[in-house]
């Protein structure tokens, strides 16, 4: 099985596992050619099998919310767009170029005085997420601008200083938990306006003192979050790429240990820290540094073999790249509900969770385009959610019709490409003990489709085929799901003579 224990050969601090060595999110991982002694490597070593991690594997669909002061400008200021001057809407504080307003960073750093989301209602958001089929959500407690949405004791730059005043993180955790949705907290390590933060490695005594203060501050805030919101399931770390953090491997190793001691079932992805050689996500021997791969941001693996059996999530924006509120979507390709369903099914078909991002506005409303997608995706999930939640990779030959998922003896095929001839031909490895024996279309009256064994007899073919006939009367205007039961084959494939040439 793909989700089996994987990295468990350890002798002292030296790892003897011939596994992925390069943290690559764009292709299969490379095998290590030599093994190193790693002192500040993984604290996990194997796919965890506790309740929290099993729940993580079953989520299928999640919601990401990027919310903070950047929601007020919404990627523009006084009618001038930041589109070509800021990397993304939530990066607007770093707006550069001729269109950027004078003293922009100072203007931005004072925006919190206007942050008053009078329409914010965590219960409403949570109900929407539930109706969409999300089983977990990730919420930005603090993005790169450093503004904390909870009343942290460790920085004055927090929600209590805004006109809104109330603890937004608490409202989110309580609101989503009440709907049965698990909450993970997004936390940016890097902070643009913190005088103690620096991206380079501190070199002078003064810099070292300041950066140490920053490290302690980070530790304090994380422990504070764990204590304030004990029902959270994990942290989703970000902003960990600067050299200052990379060189703090002793500190980050100890901190991860401490966080895991406070909450032993805490889930932490691979972005939190690196080993002593600066290897991020995976240590120098290719061992995952956390509970799941956290590098699939706006991208997906092409094949399950790229994942080496690791748990993972894919986080995705609706606009091309923009996580915080973006008032103006015009002129951008924004993903359609069909796009999102396909990305979702591709992710879950390879054992990943798909997490769709929302960037609400400064008053507490979702973008109207997000409301449409949430509604349409929810309608689809209501019918087809069983092919998304608590499913696993199905070990069947790939097909161009769409994506397989499996739950016990039930095989799902999400049909993205419906064939003109109405025949969905399922390839099955010859002599398989489990083949599709019946089929239906979820959410339709077509509950007993014809399933025919097609022993085509292609020479040298490793597969035999099961044809599922989709009735012409079945009208589909979106991707649909075939639900099939697996059972013993009723007939064997005939053994044909290989052609002599
Ligand atoms: O810089 C951030 C970005 O603003 C956003 O938060 C995404 C979400 O995954 N993470 C960072 C880039 O990797």
């Amino acid at each position: 099985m793909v989700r089996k224990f994987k990295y468990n050969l350890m002798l002292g601090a030296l790892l003897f596992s011939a596994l992925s060595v390069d943290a690559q999110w764009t292709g299969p991982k490379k095998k290590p050619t030599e093994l190193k002694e790693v002192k500040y490597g993984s604290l996990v070593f194997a796919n965890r099998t506790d309740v929290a991690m099993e729940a993580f594997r079953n989520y299928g669909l999640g919601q990401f919310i990027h919310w903070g002061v950047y929601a007020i400008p919404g990627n523009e200021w006084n009618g001038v767009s930041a589109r070509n001057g800021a990397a993304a809407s939530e990066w607007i504080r770093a707006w550069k170029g001729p269109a950027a307003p004078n003293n922009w960073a100072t203007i931005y750093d004072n925006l919190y005085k206007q942050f008053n989301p009078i329409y914010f209602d965590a219960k409403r958001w949570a109900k929407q997420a539930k109706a969409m089929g999300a089983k977990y959500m990730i919420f930005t407690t603090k993005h790169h601008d450093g503004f904390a949405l909870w009343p942290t004791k460790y920085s004055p730059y927090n929600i209590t200083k805004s006109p809104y005043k109330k603890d937004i993180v608490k409202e989110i955790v309580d609101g989503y938990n009440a709907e049965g949705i698990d909450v993970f907290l997004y936390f940016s390590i890097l902070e643009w306006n913190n005088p103690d933060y620096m991206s380079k490695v501190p070199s002078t005594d003064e810099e070292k003192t300041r950066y140490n203060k920053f490290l302690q501050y980070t530790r304090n805030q994380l422990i504070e979050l764990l204590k304030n919101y004990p029902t959270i399931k994990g942290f989703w770390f970000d902003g960990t790429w600067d050299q200052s953090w990379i060189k703090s491997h002793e500190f980050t190793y100890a901190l991860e240990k401490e966080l895991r001691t406070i909450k032993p079932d805490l889930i932490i992805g691979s972005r939190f820290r690196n080993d002593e050689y600066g290897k991020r996500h995976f240590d120098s021997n290719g061992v995952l540094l956390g509970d799941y791969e956290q590098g699939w941001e706006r991208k997906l693996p092409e094949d399950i073999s790229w994942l080496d059996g690791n748990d993972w999530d894919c986080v995705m924006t609706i606009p091309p790249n923009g996580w915080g509120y973006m008032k103006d979507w015009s002129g951008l390709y924004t993903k359609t509900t069909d796009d999102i369903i396909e990305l979702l099914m591709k992710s879950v078909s390879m054992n990943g969770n798909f997490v769709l991002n929302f960037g609400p506005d400064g008053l507490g409303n979702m973008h109207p385009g997000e409301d449409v997608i949430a509604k349409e995706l929810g309608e689809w999930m209501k019918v087809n959610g069983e092919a998304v939640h608590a499913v696993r990779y199905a070990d069947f030959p790939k097909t161009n019709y769409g994506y397989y998922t499996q739950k016990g003896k039930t095989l799902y095929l999400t049909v993205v490409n419906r064939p003109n001839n109405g025949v969905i031909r399922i390839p099955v490895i010859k002599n398989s003990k489990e083949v599709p024996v019946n089929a239906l279309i979820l959410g339709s009256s077509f509950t007993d489709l014809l399933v025919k064994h097609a022993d085509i007899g292609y020479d040298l073919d490793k597969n035999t085929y099961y044809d599922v006939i989709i009735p012409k009367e079945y009208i589909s205007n979106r991707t649909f799901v075939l639900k099939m039961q697996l059972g013993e084959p009723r007939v064997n494939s005939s053994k044909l003579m290989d052609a002599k040439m």
Side-chain angles (χ1 to χ4, degrees):
M1 275 318 287
V2 174
R3 289 197 188 282
K4 62 185 184 319
F5 278 84
K6 58 187 192 307
Y7 304 131
N8 45 13
L9 298 175
M10 186 191 170
L11 198 59
L14 193 62
L15 289 158
F16 292 101
S17 52
L19 293 156
S20 56
V21 75
D22 284 352
Q24 291 178 357
W25 313 111
T26 50
K29 294 169 181 98
K30 298 211 181 91
K31 304 288 177 201
T33 47
E34 59 181 51
L35 295 167
K36 280 185 169 164
E37 180 170 337
V38 176
K39 269 172 75 182
Y40 299 95
S42 176
L43 283 159
V44 189
F45 289 113
N47 285 3
R48 283 167 40 186
T49 52
D50 54 281
V51 174
M53 258 331 271
E54 285 299 335
F56 180 88
R57 284 174 198 126
N58 290 339
Y59 292 143
L61 176 63
Q63 180 189 43
F64 210 149
I65 294 187
H66 274 71
W67 205 35
V69 161
Y70 41 83
I72 297 174
N75 212 36
E76 56 190 67
W77 192 247
N78 289 338
V80 179
S81 171
R83 210 177 267 184
N84 298 317
S89 45
E90 72 288 355
W91 277 65
I92 194 169
R93 186 186 183 275
W95 188 357
K96 295 273 169 345
N102 287 335
N103 295 323
W104 171 242
T106 312
I107 297 173
Y108 184 93
D109 289 345
N110 281 289
L111 279 182
Y112 73 95
K113 294 177 189 159
Q114 299 173 35
F115 192 65
N116 193 14
I118 48 175
Y119 301 128
F120 170 52
D121 176 2
K123 293 188 198 102
R124 179 165 56 95
W125 288 4
K127 282 193 188 341
Q128 179 183 51
K130 186 175 185 176
M132 187 178 87
K135 295 286 183 192
Y136 78 123
M137 70 89 70
I138 308 167
F139 186 70
T140 49
T141 57
K142 175 187 83 159
H143 203 260
H144 309 331
D145 61 9
F147 184 68
L149 293 183
W150 81 101
T152 177
K153 280 195 283 191
Y154 302 102
S155 155
Y157 192 41
N158 77 53
I159 194 68
T160 59
K161 301 293 186 308
S162 74
Y164 187 72
K165 289 195 169 43
K166 288 176 277 178
D167 182 349
I168 286 182
V169 175
K170 181 169 169 36
E171 292 186 58
I172 288 284
V173 174
D174 291 348
Y176 276 75
N177 283 174
E179 292 298 328
I181 297 176
D182 286 347
V183 176
F184 285 62
L185 298 183
Y186 169 106
F187 186 96
S188 169
I189 299 292
L190 85 79
E191 279 192 18
W192 285 322
N193 72 350
N194 186 329
D196 297 328
Y197 185 79
M198 61 201 76
S199 52
K200 64 168 193 122
V201 183
S203 52
T204 65
D205 285 350
E206 186 273 335
E207 282 176 352
K208 284 180 192 161
T209 309
R210 270 198 292 132
Y211 193 67
N212 273 333
K213 203 170 140 205
F214 174 78
L215 292 179
Q216 283 315 317
Y217 153 79
T218 299
R219 172 180 172 269
N220 288 338
Q221 283 202 326
L222 289 172
I223 293 173
E224 183 182 52
L225 286 170
L226 275 186
K227 298 223 156 119
N228 285 7
Y229 315 106
T231 63
I232 63 159
K233 298 295 173 189
F235 286 120
W236 204 96
F237 287 106
D238 206 358
T240 54
W241 47 76
D242 282 336
Q243 281 305 311
S244 49
W245 186 257
I246 290 173
K247 290 285 187 254
S248 306
H249 48 81
E250 261 187 82
F251 172 87
T252 57
Y253 180 86
L255 180 55
E256 184 181 326
K257 225 179 198 172
E258 188 176 9
L259 297 175
R260 289 189 189 277
T261 306
I262 297 172
K263 185 173 169 59
D265 62 353
L266 187 71
I267 296 176
I268 299 178
S270 63
R271 274 192 202 201
F272 181 49
R273 63 181 182 86
N274 46 272
D275 72 6
E276 61 267 43
Y277 305 100
K279 282 284 187 184
R280 305 179 62 236
H281 294 273
F282 295 90
D283 77 7
S284 300
N285 291 316
V287 179
L288 184 64
L289 286 164
D291 297 307
Y292 66 97
E293 287 192 18
Q294 205 194 337
W296 298 103
E297 174 172 326
R298 295 189 295 111
K299 58 175 93 64
L300 283 176
E302 205 34 59
D303 188 81
I304 191 159
S305 61
W306 292 18
L307 296 154
D308 271 349
N310 294 324
D311 294 301
W312 62 285
D313 71 359
C314 163
V315 293
M316 190 61 73
T317 49
I318 296 171
N321 180 27
W323 300 81
Y325 177 59
M326 212 191 273
K327 243 180 237 171
D328 180 15
W329 280 11
S330 63
L332 296 173
Y333 183 82
T334 48
K335 291 174 197 71
T336 63
T337 304
D338 289 318
D339 292 334
I340 286 160
I341 292 170
E342 178 155 9
L343 294 167
L344 162 69
M345 295 319 296
K346 191 167 176 183
S347 303
V348 289
S349 75
M350 293 183 281
N351 287 331
N353 290 321
F354 180 79
V355 188
L356 184 64
N357 183 71
F358 287 68
D361 68 16
L363 294 177
N365 290 315
M366 295 297 174
H367 191 286
E370 294 169 346
D371 280 336
V372 171
I373 287 186
K375 184 170 174 293
E376 292 179 355
L377 182 56
E379 282 160 5
W380 190 85
M381 287 291 290
K382 203 169 169 198
V383 173
N384 302 298
E386 63 175 274
V388 175
H389 299 135
V391 291
R392 296 289 180 268
Y393 167 74
D395 195 9
F396 280 79
K398 272 191 176 176
T399 160
N400 292 329
Y401 300 120
Y403 303 96
Y404 289 116
T405 49
Q406 190 170 347
K407 202 180 281 176
K409 297 246 185 237
T410 304
L411 177 68
Y412 299 97
L413 173 59
T414 301
V415 180
V416 178
N417 304 308
R418 179 175 177 170
N420 288 328
N421 65 358
V423 178
I424 303 253
R425 178 154 289 172
I426 312 271
V428 176
I429 303 279
K430 273 181 191 161
N431 303 325
S432 285
K433 295 279 171 282
E434 287 195 327
V435 304
V437 290
N438 61 42
L440 57 80
I441 300 171
L442 284 181
S444 81
S445 56
F446 298 95
T447 52
D448 190 13
L449 303 182
L450 186 60
V451 181
K452 294 193 297 188
H453 181 217
D455 206 2
I456 304 174
Y458 293 136
D459 200 7
L460 300 181
D461 192 356
K462 293 192 185 72
N463 301 322
T464 186
Y465 299 86
Y466 286 81
D467 286 353
V468 180
I469 314 302
I470 306 298
K472 284 199 182 54
E473 304 73 51
Y474 175 65
I475 313 285
S476 58
N477 50 18
R478 243 192 232 303
T479 294
F480 61 93
V481 175
L482 275 187
K483 177 178 182 178
M484 295 166 271
Q485 289 311 314
L486 297 171
E488 282 186 23
R490 292 183 189 129
V491 283
N492 292 327
S493 336
S494 15
K495 174 79 189 105
L496 304 177
M497 184 184 79
D498 292 342
K500 299 191 193 309
M501 291 159 284

